[in-house]
Amino acid sequence: MRISVKCSEAVHMLLMIAALPNDCRVTSDLLASSVGNNPVEVRRLLSSLKKAGIIDVARGPGGATLKRAPRDITLLDIYFAVDATSLNELIGIHGHATQQCPFGKNIYQLLAEPYAQIGEAIREEMDSITLEYLIARLRDMEPSIFEQPAVREIG
Amino acid sequence: MRISVKCSEAVHMLLMIAALPNDCRVTSDLLASSVGNNPVEVRRLLSSLKKAGIIDVARGPGGATLKRAPRDITLLDIYFAVDATSLNELIGIHGHATQQCPFGKNIYQLLAEPYAQIGEAIREEMDSITLEYLIARLRDMEPSIFEQPAVREIG
DNA sequence: TTTGATGTAACATGAATAGTTACATTATAA
DNA sequence: TTATAATGTAACTATTCATGTTACATCAAA
């Protein structure tokens, strides 16, 4: 699975966790069937989101719930949660350049700053997109999801 | 090779092509030994840069030369040249969500706009970094490269 | 014509990713 | 307490994709 797809799947899952009513247990099987992936992979993602403090996952006949308010969960949080590799690795620099060559010797330091700028731009953009915003967008697109009592509310 | 590493290797190569004196033929073997990769991979990158109109590569005992001024070559050009996959694929959306589910049905459209914003931020940032700027940075770090006679020894 | 290089196909290798099975663990409800 | 239904994770397999290697046709210049 590509890093990006992990991220969009996690968003998908979080939307379901956030929007489904309290009496609907959001299990990994339910999530898997909607996301279109296998339950183990979903659980791996859930596990990552849990470690990041974004959700709580109850064992036994439990289901997952948000641990923070949707406005306090950004795409950046989700991205970092489900993908251990940092942005630095995503837009990385080849590490096998010859140190004997004046070009090879300097290429890392040369690119480090510009690449850090790009990473920062990505970070800012992702951090500006909250789960709250995505829920609002979803409400516009599919109001029926929210036309039921006891929709999960946090914070 | 990761997409990012391709990009940094291409920058490395372009710097050598731009900075080495005219009488020094920049061959794929020379580039490969500095970049620390095999000549065929380097030729694949050269081929991509050529297709993108960034360099000319002479056959026979030729060597590569820039086709455009360094100020007209940006990191974005280089990135697109050496990586066929678009940014949309880099930060993509899972395509296997169930259409029967109101979440799965909307997830693509929901994420499309925010993701496009992120892509645009990356694009802008990469497009602001020119080869000219990188050459200037390199000159600051390693002035010796630009003091003519010494450079012929590279490789 | 010889030499030294590119261009690329075809195949092999290897590493990362994803999928499957299995089972221990745990909370809840009867 | 026990049965049930779910998570947590290990271990293994399969697959995919990026990379490395070999080989050779092509080409330009001396």
Side-chain angles (χ1 to χ4, degrees):
Chain A
M1 193 190 310
R2 306 199 56 170
I3 97 181
S4 48
V5 173
K6 271 194 200 170
C7 195
S8 72
E9 288 188 349
V11 169
H12 185 149
M13 288 159 50
L14 287 171
L15 286 170
M16 292 184 73
I17 294 169
L20 287 178
N22 288 330
D23 58 350
C24 172
R25 287 196 310 231
V26 186
T27 67
S28 55
D29 275 9
L30 174 67
L31 291 168
S33 70
S34 175
V35 167
N37 207 335
N38 64 83
V40 172
E41 189 56 36
V42 166
R43 276 182 232 160
R44 286 202 258 247
L45 291 175
L46 283 176
S47 174
S48 300
L49 293 169
K50 185 181 177 180
K51 272 184 195 141
I54 295 174
I55 58 173
D56 273 320
V57 184
R59 293 188 74 152
T65 51
L66 288 192
K67 201 173 175 183
R68 310 207 300 254
R71 90 179 67 89
D72 294 327
I73 300 172
T74 74
L75 200 57
L76 187 65
D77 298 327
I78 299 167
Y79 174 80
F80 276 129
V82 297
D83 196 329
T85 70
S86 70
L87 283 177
N88 287 342
E89 286 174 52
L90 177 61
I91 46 167
I93 301 167
H94 60 293
H96 41 268
T98 316
Q99 296 302 305
Q100 280 70 42
C101 166
F103 291 90
K105 200 170 57 183
N106 289 286
I107 188 71
Y108 188 89
Q109 203 194 337
L110 174 66
L111 285 177
E113 192 180 297
Y115 274 30
Q117 273 178 36
I118 298 169
E120 187 51 32
I122 299 174
R123 237 173 265 120
E124 273 179 27
E125 203 63 38
M126 292 186 104
D127 211 35
S128 76
I129 298 163
T130 66
L131 188 60
E132 184 177 46
Y133 165 72
L134 293 172
I135 292 171
R137 267 179 74 83
L138 183 61
R139 181 175 282 119
D140 290 341
M141 288 179 184
E142 193 79 26
S144 67
I145 293 175
F146 300 88
E147 285 163 6
Q148 48 201 331
V151 165
R152 289 170 187 274
E153 289 293 344
I154 282 222
Chain B
M1 191 192 308
R2 307 200 55 172
I3 97 182
S4 48
V5 172
K6 271 195 201 171
C7 194
S8 73
E9 289 187 347
V11 169
H12 185 149
M13 288 159 49
L14 287 170
L15 286 171
M16 292 184 73
I17 294 169
L20 288 177
N22 288 332
D23 58 348
C24 173
R25 286 194 312 229
V26 186
T27 67
S28 55
D29 275 10
L30 174 66
L31 290 168
S33 71
S34 175
V35 167
N37 206 337
N38 64 82
V40 172
E41 188 56 36
V42 165
R43 276 182 233 160
R44 286 202 259 246
L45 291 174
L46 284 176
S47 174
S48 300
L49 293 169
K50 186 181 177 182
K51 272 182 197 144
I54 294 173
I55 59 173
D56 274 320
V57 184
R59 294 189 75 151
T65 51
L66 288 192
K67 200 173 176 183
R68 308 207 300 253
R71 90 180 65 88
D72 295 327
I73 299 171
T74 73
L75 200 57
L76 187 65
D77 298 327
I78 300 166
Y79 173 81
F80 276 129
V82 297
D83 196 330
T85 70
S86 70
L87 284 177
N88 287 343
E89 287 174 52
L90 176 61
I91 46 168
I93 301 167
H94 60 293
H96 40 269
T98 316
Q99 297 302 305
Q100 279 72 41
C101 166
F103 291 91
K105 200 171 55 183
N106 289 285
I107 188 71
Y108 188 89
Q109 202 193 338
L110 175 66
L111 285 177
E113 191 181 297
Y115 274 30
Q117 272 178 36
I118 298 169
E120 187 52 32
I122 298 175
R123 237 173 264 122
E124 273 178 28
E125 202 63 38
M126 291 186 105
D127 211 34
S128 75
I129 298 163
T130 66
L131 188 60
E132 185 177 46
Y133 165 72
L134 293 172
I135 291 171
R137 266 180 74 84
L138 183 61
R139 180 175 282 118
D140 290 343
M141 287 178 183
E142 194 78 27
S144 68
I145 291 175
F146 300 87
E147 292 157 9
Q148 286 306 315
V151 270
R152 287 178 60 86
E153 305 297 327
I154 287 145

